[in-house]
Amino acid sequence: MATLILVRHGRSTANTAGLLAGWTPGVTLDERGASQAAALPGRLAGLPLAAAVSSPLERCRQTLRPLLDARPGLPLHTDERIGECHYGDWSGRKLAELADEPLMAAVQQHPSSVTFPGGESMRAMQARAVDAVRDWNARIEAEHGEDAVYVMCSHGDIIKSVVADALGLHLDLFQRIHVDPCSLTAIRYTGLRPFLVRLGDTGDLAPLVPRESGNDGDAAVGGGAGAP
């Protein structure tokens, strides 16, 4: 089947403000995110892309815009199923405040049990995203052949949940996966099994530099802002 290139959107204004964006309107790429998006055509230059699929949220559409400008013939499709998790009452709140919520422990350790207040469950989030990927794999293969490559721009938790599915990991382990803004994750799907061939590739080792604040082991809900 097809090879899927998952792109997390570039760094957003919510990332730098420490907010859990969800579907909050008005969240766009910040200056660094725009620069990351501008570099995307060069990073994908060697790939014969069959199509691009985007979350409907503005930060994803902005991330793909330079790629589409560089490849005028590349068809763009929008799929709500790869939109951000519906965080409900948590949307737009400071991550630092949410860290004190009792539910956060379950988000970190037992996400398959979590339904966000006023929002969706993390199981439902993964199910819709994986269904979207399976549907697009079949469509791309039918239209472009089994060696086709296509790109899908989505969000941190969505991409992590798709990777977990590809690796056969239970959703409760998906917080062990990390993808930076505008990173590339590649999954080659076959009739027998998926192969994870790239994970969170930015070509940048800056995220490996030790942070002054250290790391308490919690995963960044929503995906985090990447290197400073």
Side-chain angles (χ1 to χ4, degrees):
M1 296 181 71
T3 295
L4 168 62
I5 309 296
L6 287 159
V7 181
R8 185 182 167 204
H9 62 77
R11 195 173 75 175
S12 72
T13 52
N15 293 146
T16 46
L19 300 175
L20 186 61
W23 287 69
T24 304
V27 176
T28 60
L29 299 184
D30 68 4
E31 184 176 351
R32 179 168 181 166
S35 176
Q36 292 169 332
L40 196 57
R43 295 170 66 196
L44 296 173
L47 296 178
L49 299 176
V53 185
S54 179
S55 156
L57 295 173
E58 178 66 16
R59 53 196 182 273
C60 288
R61 292 187 287 115
Q62 283 182 309
T63 298
L64 286 181
R65 195 164 296 145
L67 177 65
L68 296 170
D69 288 344
R71 301 195 190 197
L74 184 65
L76 173 66
H77 309 275
T78 301
D79 194 325
E80 289 200 357
R81 294 176 296 176
I82 61 166
E84 182 62 285
C85 184
H86 291 277
Y87 295 115
D89 297 343
W90 281 26
S91 299
R93 292 183 58 189
K94 286 275 190 182
L95 287 165
E97 297 173 359
L98 292 172
D100 296 327
E101 292 280 352
L103 185 63
M104 183 59 82
V107 171
Q108 294 292 329
Q109 300 172 30
H110 190 18
S112 66
S113 72
V114 170
T115 298
F116 290 99
E120 73 178 326
S121 71
M122 299 192 84
R123 287 181 293 109
M125 173 199 75
Q126 183 185 42
R128 63 174 165 84
V130 170
D131 282 349
V133 167
R134 302 292 182 184
D135 289 347
W136 279 106
N137 284 348
R139 176 173 173 177
I140 294 297
E141 181 179 7
E143 294 179 0
H144 302 279
E146 63 181 13
D147 294 325
V149 181
Y150 72 107
V151 65
M152 180 177 282
C153 188
S154 188
H155 308 267
D157 282 350
I158 296 291
I159 293 172
K160 288 163 56 178
S161 70
V162 170
V163 170
D165 172 78
L167 292 176
L169 292 177
H170 195 282
L171 183 60
D172 286 344
L173 300 179
F174 100 128
Q175 297 290 26
R176 301 183 183 196
I177 299 165
H178 180 78
V179 289
D180 275 331
C182 223
S183 63
L184 305 181
T185 294
I187 303 173
R188 181 174 295 121
Y189 287 87
T190 76
L192 293 178
R193 62 182 64 86
F195 292 91
L196 179 66
V197 293
R198 291 287 188 278
L199 176 63
D201 188 347
T202 64
D204 178 10
L205 296 182
L208 302 181
V209 176
R211 311 284 180 87
E212 291 184 5
S213 59
N215 185 346
D216 60 8
D218 280 351
V221 181

PDB file of all heavy atoms in Angstrom, residues 20 85-91 93 98 101-104 107 113-122:
ATOM      1  N   LEU A  20      -3.291  24.819  25.490  1.00  0.00           N
ATOM      2  CA  LEU A  20      -3.812  23.637  24.823  1.00  0.00           C
ATOM      3  C   LEU A  20      -4.837  24.125  23.806  1.00  0.00           C
ATOM      4  O   LEU A  20      -5.970  24.448  24.163  1.00  0.00           O
ATOM      5  CB  LEU A  20      -4.445  22.682  25.831  1.00  0.00           C
ATOM      6  CG  LEU A  20      -4.917  21.333  25.281  1.00  0.00           C
ATOM      7  CD1 LEU A  20      -3.754  20.539  24.684  1.00  0.00           C
ATOM      8  CD2 LEU A  20      -5.595  20.520  26.375  1.00  0.00           C
ATOM      9  N   CYS A  85      -7.555  16.709  18.619  1.00  0.00           N
ATOM     10  CA  CYS A  85      -8.459  16.145  19.614  1.00  0.00           C
ATOM     11  C   CYS A  85      -9.407  17.241  20.108  1.00  0.00           C
ATOM     12  O   CYS A  85      -9.010  18.399  20.275  1.00  0.00           O
ATOM     13  CB  CYS A  85      -7.656  15.584  20.780  1.00  0.00           C
ATOM     14  SG  CYS A  85      -8.658  14.760  22.039  1.00  0.00           S
ATOM     15  N   HIS A  86     -10.666  16.871  20.330  1.00  0.00           N
ATOM     16  CA  HIS A  86     -11.629  17.808  20.905  1.00  0.00           C
ATOM     17  C   HIS A  86     -11.443  17.776  22.432  1.00  0.00           C
ATOM     18  O   HIS A  86     -11.962  16.888  23.109  1.00  0.00           O
ATOM     19  CB  HIS A  86     -13.049  17.410  20.523  1.00  0.00           C
ATOM     20  CG  HIS A  86     -13.354  17.594  19.073  1.00  0.00           C
ATOM     21  ND1 HIS A  86     -13.738  18.809  18.538  1.00  0.00           N
ATOM     22  CD2 HIS A  86     -13.286  16.729  18.027  1.00  0.00           C
ATOM     23  CE1 HIS A  86     -13.930  18.675  17.229  1.00  0.00           C
ATOM     24  NE2 HIS A  86     -13.654  17.425  16.899  1.00  0.00           N
ATOM     25  N   TYR A  87     -10.689  18.748  22.930  1.00  0.00           N
ATOM     26  CA  TYR A  87     -10.363  18.778  24.360  1.00  0.00           C
ATOM     27  C   TYR A  87     -11.478  19.376  25.219  1.00  0.00           C
ATOM     28  O   TYR A  87     -11.353  19.442  26.439  1.00  0.00           O
ATOM     29  CB  TYR A  87      -9.070  19.572  24.584  1.00  0.00           C
ATOM     30  CG  TYR A  87      -7.852  18.930  23.965  1.00  0.00           C
ATOM     31  CD1 TYR A  87      -7.177  19.556  22.920  1.00  0.00           C
ATOM     32  CD2 TYR A  87      -7.362  17.706  24.427  1.00  0.00           C
ATOM     33  CE1 TYR A  87      -6.050  18.979  22.346  1.00  0.00           C
ATOM     34  CE2 TYR A  87      -6.240  17.127  23.851  1.00  0.00           C
ATOM     35  CZ  TYR A  87      -5.583  17.766  22.809  1.00  0.00           C
ATOM     36  OH  TYR A  87      -4.474  17.195  22.236  1.00  0.00           O
ATOM     37  N   GLY A  88     -12.549  19.816  24.585  1.00  0.00           N
ATOM     38  CA  GLY A  88     -13.704  20.296  25.332  1.00  0.00           C
ATOM     39  C   GLY A  88     -13.373  21.481  26.221  1.00  0.00           C
ATOM     40  O   GLY A  88     -12.793  22.478  25.771  1.00  0.00           O
ATOM     41  N   ASP A  89     -13.718  21.367  27.514  1.00  0.00           N
ATOM     42  CA  ASP A  89     -13.526  22.468  28.460  1.00  0.00           C
ATOM     43  C   ASP A  89     -12.054  22.791  28.700  1.00  0.00           C
ATOM     44  O   ASP A  89     -11.737  23.844  29.258  1.00  0.00           O
ATOM     45  CB  ASP A  89     -14.191  22.131  29.800  1.00  0.00           C
ATOM     46  CG  ASP A  89     -15.701  21.959  29.675  1.00  0.00           C
ATOM     47  OD1 ASP A  89     -16.266  22.408  28.662  1.00  0.00           O
ATOM     48  OD2 ASP A  89     -16.313  21.366  30.583  1.00  0.00           O
ATOM     49  N   TRP A  90     -11.173  21.907  28.306  1.00  0.00           N
ATOM     50  CA  TRP A  90      -9.737  22.165  28.460  1.00  0.00           C
ATOM     51  C   TRP A  90      -9.190  23.058  27.348  1.00  0.00           C
ATOM     52  O   TRP A  90      -8.092  23.599  27.471  1.00  0.00           O
ATOM     53  CB  TRP A  90      -8.971  20.845  28.482  1.00  0.00           C
ATOM     54  CG  TRP A  90      -9.005  20.122  29.802  1.00  0.00           C
ATOM     55  CD1 TRP A  90      -9.963  20.214  30.764  1.00  0.00           C
ATOM     56  CD2 TRP A  90      -8.030  19.190  30.282  1.00  0.00           C
ATOM     57  NE1 TRP A  90      -9.666  19.398  31.820  1.00  0.00           N
ATOM     58  CE2 TRP A  90      -8.477  18.754  31.548  1.00  0.00           C
ATOM     59  CE3 TRP A  90      -6.849  18.680  29.771  1.00  0.00           C
ATOM     60  CZ2 TRP A  90      -7.765  17.839  32.319  1.00  0.00           C
ATOM     61  CZ3 TRP A  90      -6.137  17.758  30.522  1.00  0.00           C
ATOM     62  CH2 TRP A  90      -6.586  17.339  31.784  1.00  0.00           C
ATOM     63  N   SER A  91      -9.907  23.180  26.269  1.00  0.00           N
ATOM     64  CA  SER A  91      -9.403  23.932  25.116  1.00  0.00           C
ATOM     65  C   SER A  91      -9.134  25.384  25.481  1.00  0.00           C
ATOM     66  O   SER A  91      -9.962  26.037  26.129  1.00  0.00           O
ATOM     67  CB  SER A  91     -10.419  23.873  23.971  1.00  0.00           C
ATOM     68  OG  SER A  91     -10.635  22.553  23.557  1.00  0.00           O
ATOM     69  N   ARG A  93      -6.940  26.524  27.512  1.00  0.00           N
ATOM     70  CA  ARG A  93      -6.421  26.734  28.867  1.00  0.00           C
ATOM     71  C   ARG A  93      -4.902  26.561  28.913  1.00  0.00           C
ATOM     72  O   ARG A  93      -4.301  25.901  28.064  1.00  0.00           O
ATOM     73  CB  ARG A  93      -7.092  25.772  29.854  1.00  0.00           C
ATOM     74  CG  ARG A  93      -8.562  26.048  30.094  1.00  0.00           C
ATOM     75  CD  ARG A  93      -9.146  25.101  31.137  1.00  0.00           C
ATOM     76  NE  ARG A  93      -8.441  25.178  32.404  1.00  0.00           N
ATOM     77  CZ  ARG A  93      -8.648  24.332  33.427  1.00  0.00           C
ATOM     78  NH1 ARG A  93      -9.529  23.350  33.299  1.00  0.00           N
ATOM     79  NH2 ARG A  93      -7.972  24.461  34.555  1.00  0.00           N
ATOM     80  N   LEU A  98      -3.483  23.087  33.728  1.00  0.00           N
ATOM     81  CA  LEU A  98      -4.053  21.758  33.526  1.00  0.00           C
ATOM     82  C   LEU A  98      -3.232  20.674  34.211  1.00  0.00           C
ATOM     83  O   LEU A  98      -3.759  19.598  34.550  1.00  0.00           O
ATOM     84  CB  LEU A  98      -4.158  21.457  32.035  1.00  0.00           C
ATOM     85  CG  LEU A  98      -5.177  22.298  31.265  1.00  0.00           C
ATOM     86  CD1 LEU A  98      -5.042  22.056  29.767  1.00  0.00           C
ATOM     87  CD2 LEU A  98      -6.598  21.986  31.729  1.00  0.00           C
ATOM     88  N   GLU A 101      -4.838  19.424  37.280  1.00  0.00           N
ATOM     89  CA  GLU A 101      -6.133  18.757  37.194  1.00  0.00           C
ATOM     90  C   GLU A 101      -5.968  17.261  37.509  1.00  0.00           C
ATOM     91  O   GLU A 101      -5.052  16.610  36.985  1.00  0.00           O
ATOM     92  CB  GLU A 101      -6.724  18.914  35.792  1.00  0.00           C
ATOM     93  CG  GLU A 101      -7.129  20.331  35.428  1.00  0.00           C
ATOM     94  CD  GLU A 101      -8.481  20.703  36.024  1.00  0.00           C
ATOM     95  OE1 GLU A 101      -9.137  19.806  36.578  1.00  0.00           O
ATOM     96  OE2 GLU A 101      -8.846  21.898  35.930  1.00  0.00           O
ATOM     97  N   PRO A 102      -6.839  16.686  38.327  1.00  0.00           N
ATOM     98  CA  PRO A 102      -6.731  15.247  38.633  1.00  0.00           C
ATOM     99  C   PRO A 102      -6.733  14.356  37.391  1.00  0.00           C
ATOM    100  O   PRO A 102      -6.069  13.317  37.360  1.00  0.00           O
ATOM    101  CB  PRO A 102      -7.957  14.983  39.513  1.00  0.00           C
ATOM    102  CG  PRO A 102      -8.276  16.315  40.127  1.00  0.00           C
ATOM    103  CD  PRO A 102      -7.917  17.332  39.090  1.00  0.00           C
ATOM    104  N   LEU A 103      -7.457  14.777  36.360  1.00  0.00           N
ATOM    105  CA  LEU A 103      -7.545  13.971  35.149  1.00  0.00           C
ATOM    106  C   LEU A 103      -6.207  13.865  34.420  1.00  0.00           C
ATOM    107  O   LEU A 103      -5.995  12.914  33.658  1.00  0.00           O
ATOM    108  CB  LEU A 103      -8.588  14.579  34.205  1.00  0.00           C
ATOM    109  CG  LEU A 103      -8.915  13.809  32.917  1.00  0.00           C
ATOM    110  CD1 LEU A 103      -9.515  12.441  33.235  1.00  0.00           C
ATOM    111  CD2 LEU A 103      -9.864  14.616  32.029  1.00  0.00           C
ATOM    112  N   MET A 104      -5.305  14.820  34.647  1.00  0.00           N
ATOM    113  CA  MET A 104      -4.041  14.814  33.920  1.00  0.00           C
ATOM    114  C   MET A 104      -3.224  13.559  34.191  1.00  0.00           C
ATOM    115  O   MET A 104      -2.512  13.062  33.316  1.00  0.00           O
ATOM    116  CB  MET A 104      -3.217  16.060  34.256  1.00  0.00           C
ATOM    117  CG  MET A 104      -1.908  16.165  33.468  1.00  0.00           C
ATOM    118  SD  MET A 104      -2.127  16.212  31.669  1.00  0.00           S
ATOM    119  CE  MET A 104      -2.524  17.945  31.429  1.00  0.00           C
ATOM    120  N   VAL A 107      -4.424  11.108  31.782  1.00  0.00           N
ATOM    121  CA  VAL A 107      -3.974  11.475  30.437  1.00  0.00           C
ATOM    122  C   VAL A 107      -2.555  10.966  30.202  1.00  0.00           C
ATOM    123  O   VAL A 107      -2.217  10.479  29.117  1.00  0.00           O
ATOM    124  CB  VAL A 107      -4.043  13.002  30.236  1.00  0.00           C
ATOM    125  CG1 VAL A 107      -3.365  13.422  28.929  1.00  0.00           C
ATOM    126  CG2 VAL A 107      -5.490  13.480  30.252  1.00  0.00           C
ATOM    127  N   SER A 113      -8.525   5.561  29.058  1.00  0.00           N
ATOM    128  CA  SER A 113      -9.669   5.731  29.962  1.00  0.00           C
ATOM    129  C   SER A 113     -10.225   7.147  29.950  1.00  0.00           C
ATOM    130  O   SER A 113     -11.248   7.416  30.590  1.00  0.00           O
ATOM    131  CB  SER A 113      -9.246   5.389  31.399  1.00  0.00           C
ATOM    132  OG  SER A 113      -8.391   6.395  31.935  1.00  0.00           O
ATOM    133  N   VAL A 114      -9.563   8.054  29.233  1.00  0.00           N
ATOM    134  CA  VAL A 114      -9.851   9.489  29.367  1.00  0.00           C
ATOM    135  C   VAL A 114     -10.894   9.961  28.359  1.00  0.00           C
ATOM    136  O   VAL A 114     -10.791   9.703  27.152  1.00  0.00           O
ATOM    137  CB  VAL A 114      -8.555  10.309  29.200  1.00  0.00           C
ATOM    138  CG1 VAL A 114      -8.871  11.798  29.089  1.00  0.00           C
ATOM    139  CG2 VAL A 114      -7.603  10.048  30.351  1.00  0.00           C
ATOM    140  N   THR A 115     -11.896  10.675  28.878  1.00  0.00           N
ATOM    141  CA  THR A 115     -12.774  11.496  28.062  1.00  0.00           C
ATOM    142  C   THR A 115     -12.655  12.918  28.592  1.00  0.00           C
ATOM    143  O   THR A 115     -12.875  13.173  29.780  1.00  0.00           O
ATOM    144  CB  THR A 115     -14.239  11.040  28.147  1.00  0.00           C
ATOM    145  OG1 THR A 115     -14.344   9.696  27.655  1.00  0.00           O
ATOM    146  CG2 THR A 115     -15.141  11.951  27.318  1.00  0.00           C
ATOM    147  N   PHE A 116     -12.263  13.846  27.738  1.00  0.00           N
ATOM    148  CA  PHE A 116     -12.081  15.222  28.188  1.00  0.00           C
ATOM    149  C   PHE A 116     -13.434  15.840  28.520  1.00  0.00           C
ATOM    150  O   PHE A 116     -14.414  15.619  27.800  1.00  0.00           O
ATOM    151  CB  PHE A 116     -11.355  16.045  27.116  1.00  0.00           C
ATOM    152  CG  PHE A 116      -9.924  15.652  26.944  1.00  0.00           C
ATOM    153  CD1 PHE A 116      -9.540  14.812  25.903  1.00  0.00           C
ATOM    154  CD2 PHE A 116      -8.957  16.091  27.831  1.00  0.00           C
ATOM    155  CE1 PHE A 116      -8.218  14.428  25.750  1.00  0.00           C
ATOM    156  CE2 PHE A 116      -7.630  15.710  27.692  1.00  0.00           C
ATOM    157  CZ  PHE A 116      -7.263  14.880  26.648  1.00  0.00           C
ATOM    158  N   PRO A 117     -13.524  16.603  29.610  1.00  0.00           N
ATOM    159  CA  PRO A 117     -14.805  17.192  30.004  1.00  0.00           C
ATOM    160  C   PRO A 117     -15.372  18.084  28.899  1.00  0.00           C
ATOM    161  O   PRO A 117     -14.707  19.015  28.452  1.00  0.00           O
ATOM    162  CB  PRO A 117     -14.455  18.011  31.261  1.00  0.00           C
ATOM    163  CG  PRO A 117     -12.964  18.164  31.247  1.00  0.00           C
ATOM    164  CD  PRO A 117     -12.422  16.976  30.526  1.00  0.00           C
ATOM    165  N   GLY A 118     -16.562  17.740  28.443  1.00  0.00           N
ATOM    166  CA  GLY A 118     -17.168  18.489  27.349  1.00  0.00           C
ATOM    167  C   GLY A 118     -16.564  18.178  25.998  1.00  0.00           C
ATOM    168  O   GLY A 118     -16.903  18.839  25.010  1.00  0.00           O
ATOM    169  N   GLY A 119     -15.668  17.180  25.926  1.00  0.00           N
ATOM    170  CA  GLY A 119     -14.982  16.855  24.678  1.00  0.00           C
ATOM    171  C   GLY A 119     -15.107  15.388  24.323  1.00  0.00           C
ATOM    172  O   GLY A 119     -16.081  14.734  24.675  1.00  0.00           O
ATOM    173  N   GLU A 120     -14.092  14.875  23.632  1.00  0.00           N
ATOM    174  CA  GLU A 120     -14.137  13.491  23.183  1.00  0.00           C
ATOM    175  C   GLU A 120     -13.164  12.627  23.975  1.00  0.00           C
ATOM    176  O   GLU A 120     -12.294  13.124  24.694  1.00  0.00           O
ATOM    177  CB  GLU A 120     -13.835  13.390  21.689  1.00  0.00           C
ATOM    178  CG  GLU A 120     -12.397  13.617  21.292  1.00  0.00           C
ATOM    179  CD  GLU A 120     -12.155  13.448  19.791  1.00  0.00           C
ATOM    180  OE1 GLU A 120     -12.811  12.597  19.142  1.00  0.00           O
ATOM    181  OE2 GLU A 120     -11.286  14.177  19.264  1.00  0.00           O
ATOM    182  N   SER A 121     -13.297  11.329  23.822  1.00  0.00           N
ATOM    183  CA  SER A 121     -12.372  10.400  24.454  1.00  0.00           C
ATOM    184  C   SER A 121     -11.121  10.264  23.594  1.00  0.00           C
ATOM    185  O   SER A 121     -11.154  10.472  22.373  1.00  0.00           O
ATOM    186  CB  SER A 121     -13.018   9.026  24.649  1.00  0.00           C
ATOM    187  OG  SER A 121     -13.175   8.368  23.405  1.00  0.00           O
ATOM    188  N   MET A 122     -10.025   9.893  24.224  1.00  0.00           N
ATOM    189  CA  MET A 122      -8.792   9.694  23.470  1.00  0.00           C
ATOM    190  C   MET A 122      -8.899   8.438  22.608  1.00  0.00           C
ATOM    191  O   MET A 122      -8.259   8.353  21.554  1.00  0.00           O
ATOM    192  CB  MET A 122      -7.595   9.638  24.421  1.00  0.00           C
ATOM    193  CG  MET A 122      -7.431  10.925  25.221  1.00  0.00           C
ATOM    194  SD  MET A 122      -5.862  11.078  26.101  1.00  0.00           S
ATOM    195  CE  MET A 122      -4.812  11.721  24.803  1.00  0.00           C
TER     196      MET A 122
END
